[in-house]
Amino acid sequence: MEGDEVIGTPKHPDWLQMVHIKEGEVPHMIAYVSTRLSRYRPTMRRDIINHRDILVLSLFSGGEVLNLMNIYSDDQHTAIEHLTACVHSLTPFIYMAGDFNCVLTTWDDYEHGESSMAISLRDTASQISLEWARPSNHGPTRISPNPNQRSNVLDLVFLAPSEILISMPRLEHDLQAVLDGSPLAIYKHRLSDPRRVPGEAKRCRVVLHKSCNVPEERTDLDIGPKPPGSGRRTIKPGSEAEKSFISDILRDLAAIPVAAPATKEGVEALANAIATAFLDAWLAHLTESKPTKHSKSWWTDECSEAFGVYQLSRSLADYNKFKKACKDAKDDFFDECIAEIATSRKRPWDLMEWVKQRKLPPCEAIRDGNQPCHNMDDLWDTLHSMYNLASGREYDASVLDELPDEPVREWADFLEHELLSALKGCSNSSAPGPDHVTWVHLKELLKDKHVLALFIVLANACLRAFSPIVLLITFSKLIEKMINRIQFDAVKHDIFHPNQLGSIRQRSTEDAGLILTHLMRAGWVKGLQTSALAFDITQFFPSINHEMFMAVLRKQGFSPVLVEFFASYLVGRSTVYCWNTFQSNSRSADVGVRQGSALSPVIYGLFIAPVMKLFYIKAAPLNTMLLSFVDDGTIPAQSKQLDDNNVGLRKAYKIIYLLFVAFALVLEHNKTELFHFSCRRDAYNPSLDLGYAPHTGVTPLKPKTYWRYLGFYFDRGLTFHEHVRYYATKVFTTVQAMRMLRNSTRGLSPKQRRLLYWSCVVPIATYGYHLWYFDGARNKGAMNQLKRMQRKAALWITGAFRTSPTGSLEALAGLIPVHLMLKKLATCAVYRVATLSDTHPLCSMMGEGLLKRAAPHARSAALMTPAMQGQVKSTVMEVDERVHTLTESFEPFAPKAHPGDRLLDHYADRLHFDERDPAQDRRPYLDELIAKARANPLTVLAATDGSVPQSNQYQAASAAIIYKGHELNAISCAVRLAVKQANCQHMMRCSMAAHSLSTNMYATQPGY
């Protein structure tokens, strides 16, 4: 068998698994706690006893703490000795049980003599006020399969003396198991509290499992008053109730006049009126259900009927019928789920959540230093102090004085098309917020012209009156998505620094990887060594200072309307902390931004941009550069010697550290990483005295063997063997896990499996391929790993035998061979460079034809001699050589491409896209259009089509094969001719192409 040993707990959604896995040790104790006990905060308590063979579990019932202990004692009696040594520091326990592996006449009637370890166990239990509880049907717990050997009592239960008579344990012989040929008895033990009134106690079963080598203990506990039941209030999606819900909202909103409020009070009044309409409709149509522990989403009436018959007869035949009814119900239910996700929604990648690795839920309390937070108030205080470390931290806005003031840019109001475009990209499967409205509901509501106008007025009034919406949670998120248009301005006007990557338009992680790899390979040709210092900002998003951010926005020339809106958007914020099912009260949050917000990426970029610009001013004498990706930064340095790189890196790190301090941010020094690249085979790999603890003096920062940066695994020689191995292994396990989504009779269809592979597996397998796949690269080993991965996927898609040839499998599955797939992706990547903004960081590495407005880097192709260009092998050089084959030109940040100034933004009511099913006969419809156009002398009808023949011997002409580029050109020519016609007030465009609608939409977008 290949692979590493799997050590952990079998998982079940109805049980919370608790296990302490320590590297180098195999755990012996496992605890399973029903999720129905979550309100009692079950917690594994290593702060009481931290030992591999002892597991302490605590339940918190009101102000009472109930401690339970489970023990496995090996043949060396390690656990008993440890328990004896620490007994004086133990807290009170109500229960102790386990396999103690020692005999004593007290509990073993067949044993003659006393074990010193058993006597020690008895005395230890007595010191924590526990006594051995004799089962009502006492007998051996380990039954020897050899009749000549005597059975023993090794499994014991210890209880408080007051509980023994009330809660006497009992051996459950019906649950007796056989392990290694030895029958094992299982305890079933019930505890009850005489101080509680009968019938009002909450009875729960805590199942404490031990390792597979020992018996299992089960205990039923009455742990407190039964909490009051709470129902679940919902409106079923797609039901008549949901249709009535939307209809009532439309009726109430129709009564609200479309008038723009000019004051903050007016905005709040309009938002309250809309929120009231939502709430009234919700209360009128909700349904309340009360899920129980027996509730199953797949349960049907047939299951209930079969179960009722079995309850009356108790026959094996009826039981089998009941099990078959349940199995059929489960099959039908999950088949419907798969069909809805993969066919109706056409999002088979959502099924990947079913096959992903599931992490164990938290089972230990958060620690404040060395002290665990078992009290909820202490927990909330710890969380609040952790996520508000920057509260009250000083900042220095004067550091911005070194930067010039950008000219102020005006803010354009939101328009209908912009709102609908932002809404179109929202998921239909999101859960409703506190206002009970989902994106699906908003999409239905905004089809009404009155509601659309009302929401546009409200969105613009929020900015003009500086009043963020609080009650309309879903709509406020939509406004945030529209405000995100400021990213367009920031890129176009160079507000962002060119070396800022991540969460910015057209700037990705792979761009950062390409820049780094080209920098190193070009440096090696010139005899330079490259080093990189990676740092991390401590809690970046929760630490953004609001006042400093306002100063940055003013410096960057944003409209006062936007600055004042952000001032009111960030001031007076509060936060609520959640821990499992528990929730804190509202607490003030005077720093930071919400990380899940649509605005958080652009806020990050704007806040970091002046830091980047100031660094390049202050670090100009140093031979370094700075790359930033959200809260991760990298400082590369190049020189002839690695020691010289270390000197430059230390100075650069000090500069960036002081700049972040001025912005009220702190670097996390213990996460700083150093990596030296070298094409030489020498072992010299010097450490760095960073100048900040803990990496200073006798504990310098040591370089890593492999450097994981933005998901890329760098090695010193840039072979990327570790990178390819990691992702090949990841996709292998992903494909293996995807097998659960189908079998020979049920599950996904081959077409859906192929789509799932292309959308979920190929992006993982090819992540970062630009770094190792280019002309002249040695990548045969990487290609072979990807070929094996694709073969496995093709077997899963087709269901063919594993002896089938690879080429035939790929042909049947409709998969491009790996080498051709990478070649196609590489070609697309080459052409992508032509669509980048003028100051994109990749352009600074290109030749003169692609520099645009970017300043050429010292290692750019534009500054290389022809001889050096032939020696440097990288993706950047390949792009520079091949991009000339692209004849189209692009202007992604054209003035007419600005959100709010686009053609559809201003003339949405004059442009109509008629969606017709291409499978239907459209001739009658086209004849009607022609007749309508001819009847109106002020209408021009433009019929267009375009294609390119497959042979290069002929020119482009009308043909059966349609190509999007020439389609757009044909539309453009038709529009130009049409507008030159006299007395033209209407223009209609017809096309027989199946993809004509999407082509028409592209034709209205500037920059194409």
Side-chain angles (χ1 to χ4, degrees), residues 390-509:
S391 181
R393 190 181 293 166
E394 295 183 358
Y395 67 94
D396 183 11
S398 64
V399 73
L400 299 174
D401 296 340
E402 296 186 50
L403 299 176
D405 292 334
E406 298 290 339
V408 177
R409 299 175 298 278
E410 291 299 322
W411 176 262
D413 285 342
F414 298 124
L415 298 174
E416 294 181 359
H417 176 70
E418 188 175 3
L419 185 146
L420 294 176
S421 298
L423 182 61
K424 186 177 181 181
C426 298
S427 172
N428 290 339
S429 57
S430 62
D435 55 1
H436 312 296
V437 176
T438 66
W439 297 121
V440 175
H441 298 152
L442 269 187
K443 290 176 182 179
E444 288 295 323
L445 293 173
L446 292 179
K447 291 179 181 179
D448 185 270
K449 293 296 183 182
H450 176 82
V451 176
L452 179 59
L454 187 66
F455 277 63
I456 284 291
V457 166
L458 180 58
N460 287 318
C462 287
L463 269 78
R464 298 295 178 183
F466 319 130
S467 175
I469 301 175
V470 178
L471 298 177
L472 304 176
I473 302 299
T474 306
F475 184 62
S476 65
K477 293 180 180 178
L478 186 61
I479 295 178
E480 292 178 358
K481 292 178 182 291
M482 292 191 292
I483 296 177
N484 202 29
R485 67 150 80 143
I486 61 178
Q487 189 172 142
F488 184 97
D489 284 339
V491 176
K492 180 180 179 180
H493 298 287
D494 297 331
I495 303 301
F496 294 131
H497 191 274
N499 286 354
Q500 278 185 263
L501 300 157
S503 302
I504 300 175
R505 290 182 58 165
Q506 298 186 329
R507 303 185 186 182
S508 65
T509 57

